[in-house]
Amino acid sequence: MSFNLPSARFSFTSILLFFSAVLAAQDNKVNNIFENYLNEIVLGILGVTVLLVLFVVYMVADKLLKISSEKAKSDAGQKSEDESPSVLPALNEILPGNNEYPHLNGVKPFKLKKGHDIKIRGRAIKEVSEDYFPSSYAVKPKDFVEMIPIPKLAVEVGAEVKAGDHIYFDKRRPEIFYTAPVSGEVAEVIRGEKRSINEIVILADKEVKFREFEKADPNTLDKKTITEKLLDSGCWPFIKQRPFNFVADPEEKPKAIFISGFDTAPLSANLNFTLQGESKAFQAGIDALRKLTDGKVHLSLDAKRKPCDTFENVQNIEKHYFEGPHPAGNVGIQIHHIDPIAKGEIAWTVGAQEVVFIGRLFLEGRFNTQKLVAVAGPKVKNPSYIRTFPGANLEELINKQVDEENVRIISGDVLTGKKVASKGFLGLFNNLISVIEEGDQYEMFGWLIPSYARPSISPTFPWTLFPNEEFDVNTNTHGEARALVVTGQYEQVLPMNIYPVHLLKAIMANDFELMEGLGIYEVVEEDMALCEFVCTSKTNVQEILREGLDYMYEQS
């Protein structure tokens, strides 16, 4: 077959001309389209540019406003983690119907983002399983951190006492009496090291006999009369002071009194449930407390839950609402956000149950400390509430509620409570008995193999994807003590504007000025208990903090 070169060149040239013509036609078409939409494109670019400029102006203005707000707070000596003001209103401010919590009636809650809820199986259901009245009770001086090891006893073994009779007093402050929760016979004084007094045991009467006080309306009494009645009856030790968390000094003038109406600790008692039907006593307690300060009485409530009638109907008090994980329910955290304690200032705190006790003293004329206590935890058969008195012997109760032997009984929550023996006694301030497995076993290969499900803030554990999952827990620390290093873990769970690791290091160095500058007056053990839970170094945070607080008290 022959090949004609000129003919081939002609064909190739023709093809090129054809495609050139087609492309030229397409190019003209594109150009026509571009020309037709040129105005819209230019307008679009201008619009985007204007939006970008406005966004930059908004961001700068918003940042300047927040800086000014923080500076104003700093100048006023205030610290707060609540949302700073913004140039634009929030969505719920734009849409009046978008009220997240209708029972707040438009009150803006404190929204705390830092913290962690430890989910433990066995939370008490809202049911009172029984009225628990064991044969013995104990008064424990060690419920008070400032108490000298050997307080002065006001009774002897064998003496008959009524509820409200004096049992002992601190030699340094003899005007403050600590009294019997129930009537009966003083059976035993259990001593510890160097003859310190651990417990004063009372064999209880079958029916409680009360020492009678004069009934009165607190609104008609002056401060001196109310103070004397609280001191004599044994209700005064329910009032604590910040800083240091000691029993309040009757001679001091607190700038305000703070009460927390909810508890966020693991397995904590539901105060909305335990205080139902206590409206009169709670109001009387508030009226009495109001006479003890020239400032305000503050009540903090959970923003997510509608408060019970006791909290909702109380008058002559300033209410606040908090939303966030534990430790949002701690009164120290609430003080930090409502009215922080500056150097030289004193604030008093009272538990919600203890306010009821104070109110009963005036309404009934009795030192009546009967209350609901939650019995909870994964090792409890029937997690529920019991009605009893502080200091109750737990032996009979635990025998009925727990089968296994290798368990730890804690008077209080798992973060701050105290381990008690199976024949131990309930703490004065505790509304919860926690029962969990004793973690005295080793884990084979430790962290080298996948672990069983347990609470953690680390996202490396897959079950952190299920934040509402509840776990069986034990007391194993899953590690050993190491050097205290800055990991940022403490800051994740402490919703306060302080530097916790630096504060602990200042305490360990006994640096008085640095401790003061880093805010040691604002915290007590319960506020930093979560730091101990998340600590990689397994540092005894609460113990170190108490040493620092005691040191500051001695130096001051």
Side-chain angles (χ1 to χ4, degrees):
M1 187 176 68
S2 64
F3 182 76
N4 190 343
L5 183 60
S7 176
R9 284 177 177 171
F10 175 76
S11 300
F12 182 70
T13 303
S14 300
I15 292 170
L16 285 178
L17 287 173
F18 173 75
F19 280 107
S20 298
V22 171
L23 289 173
Q26 291 291 330
D27 204 25
N28 289 334
K29 190 177 178 180
V30 170
N31 286 335
N32 289 336
I33 293 172
F34 181 76
E35 288 174 359
N36 291 338
Y37 290 97
L38 179 61
N39 291 336
E40 285 80 358
I41 293 172
V42 171
L43 287 174
I45 293 172
L46 284 174
V48 171
T49 306
V50 169
L51 287 176
L52 286 174
V53 171
L54 289 175
F55 179 73
V56 171
V57 170
Y58 161 74
M59 293 297 293
V60 172
D62 198 57
K63 188 67 178 175
L64 290 174
L65 186 61
K66 288 178 179 175
I67 292 173
S68 301
S69 172
E70 292 298 324
K71 186 175 184 304
K73 288 179 187 174
S74 177
D75 293 342
Q78 298 177 351
K79 299 174 183 177
S80 176
E81 200 194 54
D82 58 328
E83 293 179 0
S84 299
S86 179
V87 174
L88 296 178
L91 184 60
N92 57 359
E93 295 172 341
I94 298 173
L95 303 174
N98 187 27
N99 191 345
E100 194 173 2
Y101 306 115
H103 60 273
L104 302 188
N105 296 321
V107 177
K108 187 177 180 182
F110 291 90
K111 293 189 176 183
L112 309 184
K113 297 176 182 174
K114 295 180 180 178
H116 181 69
D117 286 327
I118 302 176
K119 304 286 186 180
I120 300 177
R121 190 167 293 128
R123 178 177 284 274
I125 59 173
K126 294 179 183 177
E127 179 181 289
V128 181
S129 61
E130 64 175 310
D131 289 349
Y132 182 64
F133 196 78
S135 58
S136 62
Y137 289 77
V139 182
K140 300 190 286 187
K142 291 188 175 179
D143 282 334
F144 304 91
V145 292
E146 81 281 12
M147 183 68 64
I148 60 173
I150 308 179
K152 181 68 176 177
L153 288 174
V155 292
E156 295 179 349
V157 174
E160 294 287 337
V161 294
K162 294 180 180 178
D165 277 346
H166 300 170
I167 297 295
Y168 68 91
F169 58 86
D170 192 336
K171 297 171 186 171
R172 292 173 297 190
R173 295 194 292 177
E175 71 278 15
I176 303 176
F177 288 102
Y178 300 81
T179 56
V182 296
S183 62
E185 178 187 350
V186 178
E188 186 179 10
V189 177
I190 300 176
R191 296 182 181 271
E193 295 180 353
K194 300 181 180 178
R195 292 187 57 75
S196 62
I197 297 178
N198 292 343
E199 293 160 351
I200 301 136
V201 181
I202 299 173
L203 285 179
D205 295 332
K206 292 184 178 179
E207 186 175 347
V208 180
K209 301 171 186 171
F210 293 93
R211 177 188 173 196
E212 298 295 333
F213 297 89
E214 187 178 351
K215 298 177 186 177
D217 180 0
N219 292 310
T220 63
L221 303 177
D222 58 16
K223 178 182 177 182
K224 182 182 176 185
T225 307
I226 289 176
T227 302
E228 289 175 350
K229 193 164 188 172
L230 293 175
L231 288 169
D232 188 32
S233 65
C235 280
W236 186 268
F238 295 137
I239 306 173
K240 297 290 193 73
Q241 78 162 45
R242 300 290 179 103
F244 306 124
N245 205 31
F246 293 165
V247 172
D249 186 344
E251 301 297 325
E252 295 283 359
K253 293 183 179 179
K255 67 171 185 174
I257 298 177
F258 295 85
I259 302 160
S260 178
F262 69 110
D263 194 346
T264 51
L267 299 173
S268 57
N270 185 332
L271 293 182
N272 268 346
F273 177 69
T274 59
L275 267 72
Q276 275 182 345
E278 300 285 0
S279 294
K280 289 184 179 178
F282 192 76
Q283 183 64 62
I286 295 296
D287 292 339
L289 293 173
R290 281 183 60 242
K291 294 292 184 74
L292 303 179
T293 177
D294 295 332
K296 298 178 180 176
V297 178
H298 300 272
L299 173 65
S300 298
L301 299 170
D302 188 353
K304 291 185 176 179
R305 295 177 180 173
K306 188 177 186 302
C308 64
D309 292 343
T310 301
F311 292 138
E312 193 163 23
N313 299 330
V314 65
Q315 303 293 320
N316 305 321
I317 198 168
E318 185 153 326
K319 295 179 185 176
H320 308 272
Y321 295 90
F322 282 81
E323 177 186 354
H326 184 65
N330 286 10
V331 69
I333 304 297
Q334 295 160 4
I335 294 173
H336 179 82
H337 293 279
I338 296 170
D339 187 7
I341 301 172
K343 182 182 178 182
E345 291 182 336
I346 287 177
W348 287 355
T349 66
V350 189
Q353 294 260 31
E354 284 72 27
V355 175
V356 173
F357 303 159
I358 293 172
R360 287 176 186 164
L361 175 67
F362 291 92
L363 292 180
E364 304 173 6
R366 292 175 170 178
F367 181 69
N368 182 359
T369 55
Q370 191 179 50
K371 61 180 178 180
L372 287 179
V373 177
V375 182
K379 296 301 178 185
V380 176
K381 293 178 190 173
N382 179 28
S384 56
Y385 290 82
I386 57 170
R387 184 176 281 103
T388 190
F389 290 86
N393 190 319
L394 303 178
E395 183 180 13
E396 298 168 25
L397 176 69
I398 297 305
N399 287 342
K400 287 189 285 185
Q401 286 279 17
V402 180
D403 278 338
E404 301 176 41
E405 294 184 354
N406 194 33
V407 296
R408 179 173 296 189
I409 304 162
I410 302 167
S411 180
D413 65 77
V414 296
L415 292 174
T416 62
K418 292 182 179 178
K419 176 184 177 182
V420 296
S422 59
K423 297 182 180 179
F425 300 91
L426 177 68
L428 177 65
F429 296 97
N430 298 137
N431 302 324
L432 169 67
I433 302 164
S434 306
V435 185
I436 61 176
E437 181 185 355
E438 188 67 67
D440 53 359
Q441 72 281 4
Y442 290 98
E443 287 183 60
M444 185 173 290
F445 302 116
W447 55 269
L448 285 175
I449 60 174
S451 172
Y452 60 87
R454 62 190 183 213
S456 175
I457 64 164
S458 173
T460 57
F461 291 95
W463 40 86
T464 56
L465 297 173
F466 308 95
N468 294 322
E469 181 67 21
E470 294 182 335
F471 304 95
D472 287 338
V473 299
N474 58 42
T475 60
N476 203 324
T477 57
H478 306 291
E480 57 189 8
R482 308 179 191 107
L484 178 58
V485 295
V486 179
T487 60
Q489 293 171 317
Y490 291 6
E491 287 78 4
Q492 291 180 41
V493 296
L494 183 63
M496 302 176 82
N497 193 16
I498 65 173
Y499 298 101
V501 176
H502 297 78
L503 174 59
L504 289 186
K505 290 190 172 183
I507 293 171
M508 295 162 81
N510 278 346
D511 191 328
F512 182 91
E513 292 183 351
L514 195 54
M515 281 189 267
E516 199 171 77
L518 289 169
I520 193 172
Y521 293 135
E522 292 204 59
V523 289
V524 298
E525 294 95 313
E526 65 177 14
D527 299 324
M528 293 182 63
L530 262 181
C531 299
E532 195 167 296
F533 169 73
V534 302
C535 183
T536 302
S537 303
K538 309 301 176 188
T539 303
N540 293 324
V541 173
Q542 298 181 72
E543 184 180 324
I544 295 172
L545 179 59
R546 175 44 59 188
E547 290 173 1
L549 288 168
D550 290 344
Y551 179 76
M552 295 296 284
Y553 180 72
E554 292 168 4
Q555 296 300 314
S556 61

